[in-house]
């Protein structure tokens, strides 16, 4: 076989694998359509368009392509739920009391309570919780999942407070360091722990603490990748963004390069113990970097 033929066959194999991943994403979109149809009060805004559903399903399919569509269902639904939670807090909550009530309802659901009537975000979280309850590892790891949910909401509420305070007389924005320390508001870590509980084998679950530690560093990188790509939208929508916190965008790009290098330094030794989950996080970094060169998850506001 000539070198040209070998390259052609390798290229065809790559395309075939990408086609299979796109089919996983297609299955994921169809499931998310069922979710949005079952929860119309949560997804009525134009921002939750069909392209968003496709982006959510594609992100999960490309990040963990070794799983089946059924195995990825809980993870994909959780990522969509995260976008719904972000919308509820950032754009629908009008007071700190609104934010606290929403957080309290969702944490109560995580603890086993029924969702209050008419509280759509809590209801969808209850669906996800009940799906996870069918996974044998959930009984043991439920406190870890609940802790990540609380960390996410604590960070989301803190950013809500920062935005309100910065708009008041004499208000100020956080430093870049404080902003990055609050990267749990991106909810990548919460999605990760849901994914690992739902799909992880024994090796993965034995390394869960390490996976969460490394994943939190990956989350900081993704926070900056997102911010560099969505600055104009964040300004228009009144969101915080790392570029608003520094005098020169170069400072954010330099920090991104440093954090990315640190992530790969953590992922290299992890790959020796759990190559699949190290690959999962490397793919997370790569997919996000490529995706934000062209598009964004949110539809038109």
């Amino acid at each position: 076989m000539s070198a040209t033929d070998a390259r052609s066959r390798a290229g065809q194999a790559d395309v075939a694998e990408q086609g299979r991943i796109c089919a996983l994403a297609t299955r994921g979109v169809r499931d998310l359509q069922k979710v949005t149809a079952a929860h119309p009060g949560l997804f009525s805004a134009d921002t939750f368009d069909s392209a968003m559903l496709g982006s959510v399903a594609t992100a999960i399919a490309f990040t963990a392509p070794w799983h089946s569509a059924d195995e990825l269902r809980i993870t994909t639904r959780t990522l969509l739920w995260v976008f719904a939670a972000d919308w509820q807090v950032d754009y629908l909550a009008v007071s700190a009391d609104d934010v606290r009530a929403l957080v309290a309802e969702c944490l109560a659901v995580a603890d086993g309570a029924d969702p209050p009537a008419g509280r759509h975000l809590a209801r969808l979280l209850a669906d996800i919780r009940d799906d996870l309850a069918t996974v044998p590892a959930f009984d043991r790891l439920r406190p870890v999942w609940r802790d990540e949910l609380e960390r996410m909401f604590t960070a989301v509420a803190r950013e809500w407070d920062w935005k309100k305070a910065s708009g008041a007389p004499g208000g100020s924005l956080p430093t870049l360091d404080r902003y990055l320390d609050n990267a749990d508001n991106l909810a990548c870590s919460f999605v990760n722990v849901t994914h690992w509980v739902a799909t992880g084998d024994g090796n993965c679950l034995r390394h869960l603490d390490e996976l969460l530690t490394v994943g939190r560093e990956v989350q900081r990188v993704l926070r900056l990748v997102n911010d560099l790509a969505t600055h104009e939208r964040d300004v228009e929508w009144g969101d915080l963004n790392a570029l608003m916190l520094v005098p020169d965008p170069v400072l954010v790009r330099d920090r991104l390069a440093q954090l990315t290098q640190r992530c790969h330094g953590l992922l290299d030794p992890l790959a020796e113990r759990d190559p699949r989950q190290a690959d999962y996080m490397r793919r997370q970094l790569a997919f996000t970097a490529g995706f934000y060169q062209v598009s964004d998850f949110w539809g038109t506001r």
Side-chain angles (χ1 to χ4, degrees), residues 60-106:
I60 299 302
F62 269 90
T63 302
W66 42 82
H67 289 292
S68 69
D70 287 342
E71 289 170 333
L72 292 178
R73 182 173 59 84
I74 294 175
T75 310
T76 306
R77 289 184 172 198
T78 300
L79 182 55
L80 181 64
W81 179 86
V82 163
F83 279 103
D86 185 59
W87 183 257
Q88 292 282 313
V89 173
D90 280 356
Y91 306 112
L92 299 186
V94 297
S95 69
D97 286 343
D98 289 343
V99 177
R100 282 193 290 267
L102 184 146
V103 171
E105 291 163 3
C106 289

Side-chain angles (χ1 to χ4, degrees), residues 81-82 85 148-157 184-185 187 190:
W81 179 86
V82 163
E148 289 300 322
L149 178 66
E150 184 171 19
R151 289 179 68 111
M152 182 204 87
F153 271 127
T154 298
V156 167
D184 281 317
N185 72 323
F190 176 63

Side-chain angles (χ1 to χ4, degrees), residues 4-292:
T4 300
D5 287 341
R7 286 194 297 271
S8 176
R9 291 191 180 185
Q12 291 172 29
D14 288 343
V15 172
E17 174 63 5
Q18 291 163 8
R20 192 189 69 81
I21 294 171
C22 290
L24 282 178
T26 299
R27 291 275 301 276
V29 170
R30 287 173 178 152
D31 180 68
L32 294 183
Q33 288 172 335
K34 296 177 184 177
V35 173
T36 57
H39 300 271
L42 196 56
F43 298 106
S44 59
D46 290 343
T47 48
F48 296 102
D49 59 8
S50 59
M52 171 185 263
L53 302 188
S55 299
V56 167
T58 300
I60 299 302
F62 269 90
T63 302
W66 42 82
H67 289 292
S68 69
D70 287 342
E71 289 170 333
L72 292 178
R73 182 173 59 84
I74 294 175
T75 310
T76 306
R77 289 184 172 198
T78 300
L79 182 55
L80 181 64
W81 179 86
V82 163
F83 279 103
D86 185 59
W87 183 257
Q88 292 282 313
V89 173
D90 280 356
Y91 306 112
L92 299 186
V94 297
S95 69
D97 286 343
D98 289 343
V99 177
R100 282 193 290 267
L102 184 146
V103 171
E105 291 163 3
C106 289
L107 291 180
V109 163
D111 289 331
D114 291 332
R119 303 299 286 178
H120 305 293
L121 188 69
R123 180 183 160 209
L124 179 53
L125 181 64
D127 292 346
I128 293 169
R129 176 204 64 196
D130 292 345
D131 281 345
L132 280 173
T134 66
V135 178
F138 188 56
D139 279 347
R140 177 169 59 88
L141 296 173
R142 183 173 187 155
V144 180
W145 179 77
R146 198 267 190 201
D147 179 65
E148 289 300 322
L149 178 66
E150 184 171 19
R151 289 179 68 111
M152 182 204 87
F153 271 127
T154 298
V156 167
R158 183 179 293 122
E159 179 165 320
W160 192 93
D161 289 339
W162 283 343
K163 288 194 297 185
K164 293 301 179 183
S166 67
S172 61
L173 293 171
T175 64
L176 180 59
D177 286 338
R178 287 195 70 199
Y179 180 76
L180 286 172
D181 286 343
N182 200 52
D184 281 317
N185 72 323
L186 194 63
C188 176
S189 189
F190 176 63
V191 173
N192 284 348
V193 77
T194 304
H195 174 72
W196 288 324
V197 171
T199 66
D201 56 19
N203 188 46
C204 164
L205 299 180
R206 279 192 297 273
H207 295 110
L208 189 57
D209 287 345
E210 182 180 9
L211 293 177
L212 287 169
T213 298
V214 178
R216 225 175 289 285
E217 292 301 317
V218 170
Q219 182 175 244
R220 288 154 65 89
V221 171
L222 301 184
R223 174 75 276 170
L224 293 186
V225 171
N226 176 295
D227 284 9
L228 285 168
T230 62
H231 178 240
E232 290 185 6
R233 189 206 71 204
D234 288 339
V235 170
E236 179 185 349
W237 289 18
D239 276 344
L240 284 187
N241 184 293
L243 293 177
M244 302 173 186
L245 313 179
V246 296
D248 189 337
V250 171
L251 296 173
V252 175
R253 296 190 181 95
D254 287 347
R255 180 64 67 87
L256 173 59
Q258 294 165 9
L259 291 175
T260 302
Q261 184 177 16
R262 172 175 168 76
C263 275
H264 287 297
L266 294 170
L267 287 166
D268 287 342
L270 174 64
E272 298 177 6
R273 295 182 289 280
D274 198 333
R276 173 159 288 186
Q277 302 312 327
D279 191 30
Y280 167 81
M281 285 186 273
R282 290 191 196 280
R283 293 179 71 92
Q284 210 169 48
L285 290 166
F287 177 86
T288 304
F291 180 84
Y292 276 116

